[in-house]
Amino acid sequence: MARCTLQRQKDDDGAQLAASLVAYALGLHADAIMSTARGSPAVAHARHIAMYLTYASLGMSLTRVAAAFDRDRTTVAHGCRLVEERRDDSDFDGWVEQLEEGLRSVVPLYGRQVA
């Protein structure tokens, strides 16, 4: 039971980190991205990107991403598909790649103790 709680906390933290990174990059608030409300089209698009990063860069299953964002699994799949389709645009692809690298560079630090 404790392991499930710990994994859920790590999943939630990873989703929050992805949402914060996307929010910063787009000039939005992470709270809006993590909100259960749909929000504006810009916020919904940012949420799709954050869910995609959580799935693709952190290796979480669609089910785990859905739980972390308090969404249905099919909603996450749809958002990830939209982002993947946009990656045909080289500018967007490069931007997403930078976000992926940023997220992957921070995740190994999770849980480390600083002396």
mmCIF file of all heavy atoms in Angstrom, residues 16-65:
data_model
loop_
_atom_site.group_PDB
_atom_site.id
_atom_site.type_symbol
_atom_site.label_atom_id
_atom_site.label_comp_id
_atom_site.label_asym_id
_atom_site.label_seq_id
_atom_site.Cartn_x
_atom_site.Cartn_y
_atom_site.Cartn_z
ATOM 1 N N GLN A 16 3.005 17.648 -12.256
ATOM 2 C CA GLN A 16 3.112 19.052 -11.839
ATOM 3 C C GLN A 16 4.359 19.699 -12.436
ATOM 4 O O GLN A 16 4.320 20.852 -12.873
ATOM 5 C CB GLN A 16 3.137 19.145 -10.309
ATOM 6 C CG GLN A 16 3.165 20.561 -9.783
ATOM 7 C CD GLN A 16 1.897 21.332 -10.097
ATOM 8 O OE1 GLN A 16 0.800 20.843 -9.864
ATOM 9 N NE2 GLN A 16 2.028 22.531 -10.627
ATOM 10 N N LEU A 17 5.447 18.965 -12.469
ATOM 11 C CA LEU A 17 6.689 19.480 -13.049
ATOM 12 C C LEU A 17 6.511 19.760 -14.542
ATOM 13 O O LEU A 17 6.902 20.826 -15.040
ATOM 14 C CB LEU A 17 7.827 18.486 -12.818
ATOM 15 C CG LEU A 17 9.208 18.899 -13.299
ATOM 16 C CD1 LEU A 17 9.664 20.185 -12.607
ATOM 17 C CD2 LEU A 17 10.199 17.781 -13.029
ATOM 18 N N ALA A 18 5.902 18.823 -15.265
ATOM 19 C CA ALA A 18 5.648 19.020 -16.696
ATOM 20 C C ALA A 18 4.721 20.211 -16.918
ATOM 21 O O ALA A 18 4.963 21.045 -17.799
ATOM 22 C CB ALA A 18 5.048 17.753 -17.311
ATOM 23 N N ALA A 19 3.669 20.313 -16.109
ATOM 24 C CA ALA A 19 2.733 21.434 -16.237
ATOM 25 C C ALA A 19 3.428 22.761 -15.949
ATOM 26 O O ALA A 19 3.191 23.755 -16.637
ATOM 27 C CB ALA A 19 1.547 21.233 -15.295
ATOM 28 N N SER A 20 4.295 22.787 -14.952
ATOM 29 C CA SER A 20 5.019 24.016 -14.614
ATOM 30 C C SER A 20 5.961 24.429 -15.732
ATOM 31 O O SER A 20 6.072 25.616 -16.060
ATOM 32 C CB SER A 20 5.805 23.825 -13.311
ATOM 33 O OG SER A 20 4.922 23.606 -12.236
ATOM 34 N N LEU A 21 6.631 23.460 -16.319
ATOM 35 C CA LEU A 21 7.547 23.739 -17.421
ATOM 36 C C LEU A 21 6.801 24.310 -18.626
ATOM 37 O O LEU A 21 7.201 25.322 -19.210
ATOM 38 C CB LEU A 21 8.294 22.459 -17.807
ATOM 39 C CG LEU A 21 9.362 22.556 -18.887
ATOM 40 C CD1 LEU A 21 10.491 23.462 -18.442
ATOM 41 C CD2 LEU A 21 9.887 21.168 -19.209
ATOM 42 N N VAL A 22 5.689 23.686 -18.982
ATOM 43 C CA VAL A 22 4.883 24.152 -20.113
ATOM 44 C C VAL A 22 4.285 25.517 -19.798
ATOM 45 O O VAL A 22 4.277 26.418 -20.648
ATOM 46 C CB VAL A 22 3.786 23.131 -20.472
ATOM 47 C CG1 VAL A 22 2.828 23.687 -21.511
ATOM 48 C CG2 VAL A 22 4.423 21.836 -20.971
ATOM 49 N N ALA A 23 3.796 25.692 -18.584
ATOM 50 C CA ALA A 23 3.214 26.984 -18.188
ATOM 51 C C ALA A 23 4.251 28.097 -18.316
ATOM 52 O O ALA A 23 3.955 29.170 -18.852
ATOM 53 C CB ALA A 23 2.680 26.905 -16.759
ATOM 54 N N TYR A 24 5.443 27.834 -17.836
ATOM 55 C CA TYR A 24 6.508 28.836 -17.926
ATOM 56 C C TYR A 24 6.823 29.161 -19.388
ATOM 57 O O TYR A 24 6.945 30.325 -19.765
ATOM 58 C CB TYR A 24 7.764 28.328 -17.208
ATOM 59 C CG TYR A 24 8.889 29.323 -17.224
ATOM 60 C CD1 TYR A 24 8.890 30.399 -16.348
ATOM 61 C CD2 TYR A 24 9.937 29.193 -18.124
ATOM 62 C CE1 TYR A 24 9.917 31.336 -16.371
ATOM 63 C CE2 TYR A 24 10.966 30.119 -18.155
ATOM 64 C CZ TYR A 24 10.953 31.191 -17.279
ATOM 65 O OH TYR A 24 11.972 32.111 -17.311
ATOM 66 N N ALA A 25 6.926 28.139 -20.210
ATOM 67 C CA ALA A 25 7.268 28.329 -21.628
ATOM 68 C C ALA A 25 6.194 29.103 -22.383
ATOM 69 O O ALA A 25 6.496 29.822 -23.336
ATOM 70 C CB ALA A 25 7.509 26.979 -22.297
ATOM 71 N N LEU A 26 4.937 28.957 -21.952
ATOM 72 C CA LEU A 26 3.826 29.597 -22.665
ATOM 73 C C LEU A 26 3.268 30.823 -21.949
ATOM 74 O O LEU A 26 2.306 31.426 -22.420
ATOM 75 C CB LEU A 26 2.700 28.578 -22.893
ATOM 76 C CG LEU A 26 3.043 27.420 -23.825
ATOM 77 C CD1 LEU A 26 1.898 26.419 -23.873
ATOM 78 C CD2 LEU A 26 3.369 27.941 -25.222
ATOM 79 N N GLY A 27 3.838 31.177 -20.813
ATOM 80 C CA GLY A 27 3.356 32.344 -20.079
ATOM 81 C C GLY A 27 1.994 32.121 -19.434
ATOM 82 O O GLY A 27 1.185 33.040 -19.354
ATOM 83 N N LEU A 28 1.755 30.899 -18.974
ATOM 84 C CA LEU A 28 0.499 30.553 -18.318
ATOM 85 C C LEU A 28 0.774 30.193 -16.859
ATOM 86 O O LEU A 28 1.913 30.202 -16.415
ATOM 87 C CB LEU A 28 -0.160 29.369 -19.031
ATOM 88 C CG LEU A 28 -0.536 29.576 -20.495
ATOM 89 C CD1 LEU A 28 -0.946 28.257 -21.132
ATOM 90 C CD2 LEU A 28 -1.652 30.600 -20.619
ATOM 91 N N HIS A 29 -0.279 29.840 -16.147
ATOM 92 C CA HIS A 29 -0.147 29.389 -14.760
ATOM 93 C C HIS A 29 -0.310 27.876 -14.709
ATOM 94 O O HIS A 29 -1.247 27.330 -15.293
ATOM 95 C CB HIS A 29 -1.200 30.048 -13.866
ATOM 96 C CG HIS A 29 -1.004 31.518 -13.722
ATOM 97 N ND1 HIS A 29 -0.075 32.074 -12.876
ATOM 98 C CD2 HIS A 29 -1.608 32.553 -14.344
ATOM 99 C CE1 HIS A 29 -0.123 33.379 -12.971
ATOM 100 N NE2 HIS A 29 -1.044 33.708 -13.864
ATOM 101 N N ALA A 30 0.584 27.221 -13.999
ATOM 102 C CA ALA A 30 0.520 25.767 -13.876
ATOM 103 C C ALA A 30 -0.793 25.319 -13.241
ATOM 104 O O ALA A 30 -1.332 24.274 -13.599
ATOM 105 C CB ALA A 30 1.708 25.246 -13.075
ATOM 106 N N ASP A 31 -1.324 26.125 -12.321
ATOM 107 C CA ASP A 31 -2.596 25.769 -11.687
ATOM 108 C C ASP A 31 -3.715 25.652 -12.717
ATOM 109 O O ASP A 31 -4.590 24.798 -12.590
ATOM 110 C CB ASP A 31 -2.987 26.798 -10.636
ATOM 111 C CG ASP A 31 -2.087 26.757 -9.410
ATOM 112 O OD1 ASP A 31 -1.383 25.743 -9.225
ATOM 113 O OD2 ASP A 31 -2.098 27.732 -8.638
ATOM 114 N N ALA A 32 -3.694 26.497 -13.735
ATOM 115 C CA ALA A 32 -4.717 26.429 -14.788
ATOM 116 C C ALA A 32 -4.572 25.140 -15.584
ATOM 117 O O ALA A 32 -5.568 24.507 -15.935
ATOM 118 C CB ALA A 32 -4.616 27.640 -15.709
ATOM 119 N N ILE A 33 -3.335 24.739 -15.861
ATOM 120 C CA ILE A 33 -3.090 23.504 -16.615
ATOM 121 C C ILE A 33 -3.527 22.288 -15.805
ATOM 122 O O ILE A 33 -4.102 21.347 -16.350
ATOM 123 C CB ILE A 33 -1.603 23.406 -17.022
ATOM 124 C CG1 ILE A 33 -1.270 24.512 -18.030
ATOM 125 C CG2 ILE A 33 -1.276 22.030 -17.588
ATOM 126 C CD1 ILE A 33 0.192 24.627 -18.364
ATOM 127 N N MET A 34 -3.299 22.306 -14.507
ATOM 128 C CA MET A 34 -3.644 21.175 -13.642
ATOM 129 C C MET A 34 -5.102 21.198 -13.192
ATOM 130 O O MET A 34 -5.566 20.230 -12.604
ATOM 131 C CB MET A 34 -2.722 21.148 -12.415
ATOM 132 C CG MET A 34 -1.260 20.880 -12.732
ATOM 133 S SD MET A 34 -0.942 19.336 -13.615
ATOM 134 C CE MET A 34 -1.424 18.126 -12.395
ATOM 135 N N SER A 35 -5.814 22.262 -13.481
ATOM 136 C CA SER A 35 -7.205 22.393 -13.054
ATOM 137 C C SER A 35 -8.081 21.312 -13.686
ATOM 138 O O SER A 35 -7.822 20.854 -14.802
ATOM 139 C CB SER A 35 -7.735 23.773 -13.455
ATOM 140 O OG SER A 35 -9.121 23.871 -13.222
ATOM 141 N N THR A 36 -9.135 20.939 -12.991
ATOM 142 C CA THR A 36 -10.079 19.978 -13.552
ATOM 143 C C THR A 36 -11.000 20.632 -14.580
ATOM 144 O O THR A 36 -11.624 19.934 -15.371
ATOM 145 C CB THR A 36 -10.928 19.318 -12.448
ATOM 146 O OG1 THR A 36 -11.598 20.337 -11.711
ATOM 147 C CG2 THR A 36 -10.061 18.481 -11.528
ATOM 148 N N ALA A 37 -11.050 21.967 -14.586
ATOM 149 C CA ALA A 37 -11.832 22.688 -15.595
ATOM 150 C C ALA A 37 -11.094 22.637 -16.925
ATOM 151 O O ALA A 37 -9.859 22.604 -16.962
ATOM 152 C CB ALA A 37 -12.047 24.134 -15.161
ATOM 153 N N ARG A 38 -11.841 22.669 -18.019
ATOM 154 C CA ARG A 38 -11.208 22.622 -19.339
ATOM 155 C C ARG A 38 -10.346 23.858 -19.565
ATOM 156 O O ARG A 38 -9.240 23.772 -20.049
ATOM 157 C CB ARG A 38 -12.264 22.504 -20.444
ATOM 158 C CG ARG A 38 -11.617 22.355 -21.823
ATOM 159 C CD ARG A 38 -12.658 22.210 -22.926
ATOM 160 N NE ARG A 38 -12.067 21.791 -24.170
ATOM 161 C CZ ARG A 38 -11.352 22.577 -24.970
ATOM 162 N NH1 ARG A 38 -11.114 23.822 -24.649
ATOM 163 N NH2 ARG A 38 -10.854 22.108 -26.107
ATOM 164 N N GLY A 39 -10.876 25.011 -19.236
ATOM 165 C CA GLY A 39 -10.129 26.253 -19.427
ATOM 166 C C GLY A 39 -10.208 26.737 -20.860
ATOM 167 O O GLY A 39 -10.924 26.184 -21.696
ATOM 168 N N SER A 40 -9.452 27.766 -21.144
ATOM 169 C CA SER A 40 -9.413 28.354 -22.487
ATOM 170 C C SER A 40 -8.750 27.385 -23.460
ATOM 171 O O SER A 40 -8.078 26.442 -23.045
ATOM 172 C CB SER A 40 -8.623 29.661 -22.446
ATOM 173 O OG SER A 40 -7.253 29.383 -22.211
ATOM 174 N N PRO A 41 -8.906 27.628 -24.762
ATOM 175 C CA PRO A 41 -8.190 26.782 -25.736
ATOM 176 C C PRO A 41 -6.678 26.773 -25.509
ATOM 177 O O PRO A 41 -6.041 25.722 -25.670
ATOM 178 C CB PRO A 41 -8.561 27.413 -27.077
ATOM 179 C CG PRO A 41 -9.905 28.029 -26.842
ATOM 180 C CD PRO A 41 -9.837 28.556 -25.419
ATOM 181 N N ALA A 42 -6.113 27.895 -25.095
ATOM 182 C CA ALA A 42 -4.670 27.946 -24.839
ATOM 183 C C ALA A 42 -4.292 27.049 -23.664
ATOM 184 O O ALA A 42 -3.270 26.347 -23.711
ATOM 185 C CB ALA A 42 -4.228 29.388 -24.573
ATOM 186 N N VAL A 43 -5.110 27.060 -22.621
ATOM 187 C CA VAL A 43 -4.841 26.210 -21.458
ATOM 188 C C VAL A 43 -5.026 24.738 -21.818
ATOM 189 O O VAL A 43 -4.220 23.889 -21.429
ATOM 190 C CB VAL A 43 -5.740 26.612 -20.263
ATOM 191 C CG1 VAL A 43 -5.677 25.581 -19.146
ATOM 192 C CG2 VAL A 43 -5.332 27.989 -19.743
ATOM 193 N N ALA A 44 -6.068 24.417 -22.574
ATOM 194 C CA ALA A 44 -6.290 23.026 -22.993
ATOM 195 C C ALA A 44 -5.116 22.529 -23.838
ATOM 196 O O ALA A 44 -4.649 21.402 -23.656
ATOM 197 C CB ALA A 44 -7.608 22.904 -23.757
ATOM 198 N N HIS A 45 -4.630 23.372 -24.738
ATOM 199 C CA HIS A 45 -3.474 23.002 -25.572
ATOM 200 C C HIS A 45 -2.236 22.786 -24.691
ATOM 201 O O HIS A 45 -1.500 21.806 -24.872
ATOM 202 C CB HIS A 45 -3.226 24.081 -26.615
ATOM 203 C CG HIS A 45 -2.049 23.818 -27.486
ATOM 204 N ND1 HIS A 45 -1.982 22.739 -28.341
ATOM 205 C CD2 HIS A 45 -0.886 24.497 -27.636
ATOM 206 C CE1 HIS A 45 -0.809 22.763 -28.979
ATOM 207 N NE2 HIS A 45 -0.138 23.813 -28.559
ATOM 208 N N ALA A 46 -2.024 23.671 -23.737
ATOM 209 C CA ALA A 46 -0.885 23.530 -22.821
ATOM 210 C C ALA A 46 -1.005 22.237 -22.019
ATOM 211 O O ALA A 46 -0.006 21.543 -21.796
ATOM 212 C CB ALA A 46 -0.811 24.742 -21.895
ATOM 213 N N ARG A 47 -2.219 21.896 -21.594
ATOM 214 C CA ARG A 47 -2.436 20.661 -20.847
ATOM 215 C C ARG A 47 -2.103 19.451 -21.719
ATOM 216 O O ARG A 47 -1.483 18.495 -21.257
ATOM 217 C CB ARG A 47 -3.883 20.575 -20.349
ATOM 218 C CG ARG A 47 -4.135 19.365 -19.461
ATOM 219 C CD ARG A 47 -5.556 19.316 -18.927
ATOM 220 N NE ARG A 47 -5.895 20.513 -18.188
ATOM 221 C CZ ARG A 47 -6.778 21.438 -18.602
ATOM 222 N NH1 ARG A 47 -7.428 21.281 -19.734
ATOM 223 N NH2 ARG A 47 -7.019 22.507 -17.872
ATOM 224 N N HIS A 48 -2.499 19.496 -22.986
ATOM 225 C CA HIS A 48 -2.161 18.398 -23.902
ATOM 226 C C HIS A 48 -0.647 18.212 -23.970
ATOM 227 O O HIS A 48 -0.144 17.085 -23.935
ATOM 228 C CB HIS A 48 -2.700 18.672 -25.301
ATOM 229 C CG HIS A 48 -4.184 18.663 -25.395
ATOM 230 N ND1 HIS A 48 -4.857 19.287 -26.406
ATOM 231 C CD2 HIS A 48 -5.135 18.127 -24.599
ATOM 232 C CE1 HIS A 48 -6.153 19.128 -26.239
ATOM 233 N NE2 HIS A 48 -6.349 18.423 -25.141
ATOM 234 N N ILE A 49 0.067 19.319 -24.076
ATOM 235 C CA ILE A 49 1.533 19.246 -24.156
ATOM 236 C C ILE A 49 2.109 18.685 -22.857
ATOM 237 O O ILE A 49 2.996 17.817 -22.883
ATOM 238 C CB ILE A 49 2.132 20.625 -24.485
ATOM 239 C CG1 ILE A 49 1.686 21.078 -25.882
ATOM 240 C CG2 ILE A 49 3.659 20.590 -24.385
ATOM 241 C CD1 ILE A 49 1.955 22.543 -26.179
ATOM 242 N N ALA A 50 1.607 19.146 -21.726
ATOM 243 C CA ALA A 50 2.101 18.651 -20.431
ATOM 244 C C ALA A 50 1.806 17.165 -20.264
ATOM 245 O O ALA A 50 2.663 16.411 -19.786
ATOM 246 C CB ALA A 50 1.476 19.454 -19.292
ATOM 247 N N MET A 51 0.618 16.736 -20.679
ATOM 248 C CA MET A 51 0.290 15.309 -20.595
ATOM 249 C C MET A 51 1.198 14.509 -21.520
ATOM 250 O O MET A 51 1.679 13.425 -21.144
ATOM 251 C CB MET A 51 -1.188 15.074 -20.936
ATOM 252 C CG MET A 51 -2.134 15.609 -19.883
ATOM 253 S SD MET A 51 -3.890 15.204 -20.122
ATOM 254 C CE MET A 51 -4.248 15.905 -21.713
ATOM 255 N N TYR A 52 1.442 15.026 -22.712
ATOM 256 C CA TYR A 52 2.331 14.351 -23.666
ATOM 257 C C TYR A 52 3.738 14.204 -23.070
ATOM 258 O O TYR A 52 4.347 13.131 -23.152
ATOM 259 C CB TYR A 52 2.383 15.129 -24.981
ATOM 260 C CG TYR A 52 3.376 14.565 -25.956
ATOM 261 C CD1 TYR A 52 3.053 13.488 -26.767
ATOM 262 C CD2 TYR A 52 4.652 15.099 -26.058
ATOM 263 C CE1 TYR A 52 3.970 12.956 -27.658
ATOM 264 C CE2 TYR A 52 5.579 14.576 -26.943
ATOM 265 C CZ TYR A 52 5.241 13.505 -27.740
ATOM 266 O OH TYR A 52 6.165 12.980 -28.619
ATOM 267 N N LEU A 53 4.252 15.277 -22.489
ATOM 268 C CA LEU A 53 5.590 15.226 -21.888
ATOM 269 C C LEU A 53 5.645 14.210 -20.749
ATOM 270 O O LEU A 53 6.626 13.475 -20.611
ATOM 271 C CB LEU A 53 5.992 16.602 -21.361
ATOM 272 C CG LEU A 53 6.263 17.683 -22.394
ATOM 273 C CD1 LEU A 53 6.507 19.019 -21.710
ATOM 274 C CD2 LEU A 53 7.444 17.309 -23.278
ATOM 275 N N THR A 54 4.600 14.171 -19.955
ATOM 276 C CA THR A 54 4.552 13.229 -18.842
ATOM 277 C C THR A 54 4.559 11.792 -19.364
ATOM 278 O O THR A 54 5.251 10.929 -18.828
ATOM 279 C CB THR A 54 3.307 13.496 -17.975
ATOM 280 O OG1 THR A 54 3.313 14.868 -17.575
ATOM 281 C CG2 THR A 54 3.298 12.631 -16.736
ATOM 282 N N TYR A 55 3.829 11.568 -20.433
ATOM 283 C CA TYR A 55 3.751 10.240 -21.052
ATOM 284 C C TYR A 55 5.063 9.883 -21.756
ATOM 285 O O TYR A 55 5.661 8.838 -21.493
ATOM 286 C CB TYR A 55 2.576 10.211 -22.026
ATOM 287 C CG TYR A 55 2.515 9.006 -22.917
ATOM 288 C CD1 TYR A 55 2.168 7.761 -22.416
ATOM 289 C CD2 TYR A 55 2.783 9.114 -24.276
ATOM 290 C CE1 TYR A 55 2.101 6.645 -23.235
ATOM 291 C CE2 TYR A 55 2.711 8.017 -25.100
ATOM 292 C CZ TYR A 55 2.378 6.779 -24.580
ATOM 293 O OH TYR A 55 2.318 5.694 -25.406
ATOM 294 N N ALA A 56 5.515 10.751 -22.644
ATOM 295 C CA ALA A 56 6.660 10.437 -23.507
ATOM 296 C C ALA A 56 8.006 10.561 -22.792
ATOM 297 O O ALA A 56 8.889 9.724 -22.990
ATOM 298 C CB ALA A 56 6.642 11.344 -24.738
ATOM 299 N N SER A 57 8.170 11.583 -21.980
ATOM 300 C CA SER A 57 9.475 11.823 -21.366
ATOM 301 C C SER A 57 9.657 11.111 -20.035
ATOM 302 O O SER A 57 10.764 10.735 -19.685
ATOM 303 C CB SER A 57 9.694 13.322 -21.149
ATOM 304 O OG SER A 57 9.735 13.973 -22.385
ATOM 305 N N LEU A 58 8.566 10.964 -19.289
ATOM 306 C CA LEU A 58 8.672 10.306 -17.984
ATOM 307 C C LEU A 58 8.311 8.835 -18.049
ATOM 308 O O LEU A 58 8.449 8.115 -17.069
ATOM 309 C CB LEU A 58 7.797 11.026 -16.956
ATOM 310 C CG LEU A 58 8.123 12.495 -16.724
ATOM 311 C CD1 LEU A 58 7.246 13.072 -15.622
ATOM 312 C CD2 LEU A 58 9.601 12.701 -16.418
ATOM 313 N N GLY A 59 7.812 8.396 -19.210
ATOM 314 C CA GLY A 59 7.516 6.979 -19.406
ATOM 315 C C GLY A 59 6.326 6.475 -18.606
ATOM 316 O O GLY A 59 6.223 5.286 -18.338
ATOM 317 N N MET A 60 5.432 7.366 -18.235
ATOM 318 C CA MET A 60 4.242 6.948 -17.506
ATOM 319 C C MET A 60 3.208 6.413 -18.487
ATOM 320 O O MET A 60 3.111 6.897 -19.612
ATOM 321 C CB MET A 60 3.671 8.127 -16.711
ATOM 322 C CG MET A 60 4.536 8.518 -15.522
ATOM 323 S SD MET A 60 4.074 10.066 -14.702
ATOM 324 C CE MET A 60 2.330 9.898 -14.469
ATOM 325 N N SER A 61 2.432 5.444 -18.052
ATOM 326 C CA SER A 61 1.357 4.921 -18.890
ATOM 327 C C SER A 61 0.264 5.978 -19.026
ATOM 328 O O SER A 61 0.176 6.911 -18.213
ATOM 329 C CB SER A 61 0.764 3.652 -18.270
ATOM 330 O OG SER A 61 0.053 3.972 -17.085
ATOM 331 N N LEU A 62 -0.570 5.825 -20.049
ATOM 332 C CA LEU A 62 -1.686 6.756 -20.232
ATOM 333 C C LEU A 62 -2.606 6.740 -19.010
ATOM 334 O O LEU A 62 -3.129 7.789 -18.612
ATOM 335 C CB LEU A 62 -2.471 6.407 -21.491
ATOM 336 C CG LEU A 62 -1.738 6.616 -22.818
ATOM 337 C CD1 LEU A 62 -2.602 6.112 -23.974
ATOM 338 C CD2 LEU A 62 -1.354 8.067 -23.025
ATOM 339 N N THR A 63 -2.770 5.591 -18.407
ATOM 340 C CA THR A 63 -3.619 5.472 -17.214
ATOM 341 C C THR A 63 -3.039 6.264 -16.050
ATOM 342 O O THR A 63 -3.769 6.962 -15.342
ATOM 343 C CB THR A 63 -3.790 3.987 -16.833
ATOM 344 O OG1 THR A 63 -4.367 3.300 -17.947
ATOM 345 C CG2 THR A 63 -4.652 3.820 -15.604
ATOM 346 N N ARG A 64 -1.731 6.161 -15.849
ATOM 347 C CA ARG A 64 -1.084 6.911 -14.764
ATOM 348 C C ARG A 64 -1.113 8.410 -15.044
ATOM 349 O O ARG A 64 -1.320 9.212 -14.125
ATOM 350 C CB ARG A 64 0.352 6.419 -14.566
ATOM 351 C CG ARG A 64 0.401 5.045 -13.912
ATOM 352 C CD ARG A 64 1.785 4.448 -13.891
ATOM 353 N NE ARG A 64 2.785 5.333 -13.325
ATOM 354 C CZ ARG A 64 4.096 5.214 -13.577
ATOM 355 N NH1 ARG A 64 4.548 4.253 -14.367
ATOM 356 N NH2 ARG A 64 4.950 6.047 -13.023
ATOM 357 N N VAL A 65 -0.901 8.801 -16.303
ATOM 358 C CA VAL A 65 -0.983 10.223 -16.658
ATOM 359 C C VAL A 65 -2.395 10.732 -16.395
ATOM 360 O O VAL A 65 -2.588 11.817 -15.828
ATOM 361 C CB VAL A 65 -0.578 10.467 -18.130
ATOM 362 C CG1 VAL A 65 -0.813 11.919 -18.530
ATOM 363 C CG2 VAL A 65 0.877 10.079 -18.364
#
